[in-house]
Amino acid sequence: MLTISEVVEEIGVPLSTFYRWRQLKKGPRAIKLPNGAVRIRRSELERWIAALEEAA
């Protein structure tokens, strides 16, 4: 599972953009762990990117 920092580095967007996408429900689905940390599965990130490619 990836941290948000790892995801924004990989896709090359500012952290604020990623949080805006999350707020608008346009980003990849995330998991909130019991300790409050947010993680994104690698498979979910790849699915989300593939969906963006199809829409383009």
Side-chain angles (χ1 to χ4, degrees):
M1 290 199 276
L2 304 167
T3 65
I4 291 177
S5 297
E6 292 169 333
V7 171
V8 297
E9 184 178 326
E10 187 168 323
I11 61 176
V13 298
L15 191 57
S16 60
T17 298
F18 184 82
Y19 280 121
R20 187 168 5 100
W21 289 345
R22 280 197 44 145
Q23 186 178 26
L24 298 171
K25 309 263 189 243
K26 293 187 177 193
R29 289 183 301 175
I31 299 167
K32 190 168 189 177
L33 300 176
N35 66 0
V38 176
R39 297 289 186 269
I40 297 159
R41 286 190 172 104
R42 162 77 52 200
S43 60
E44 172 56 21
L45 179 61
E46 291 172 357
R47 183 209 60 81
W48 178 74
I49 291 171
L52 292 176
E53 290 174 350
E54 291 173 9

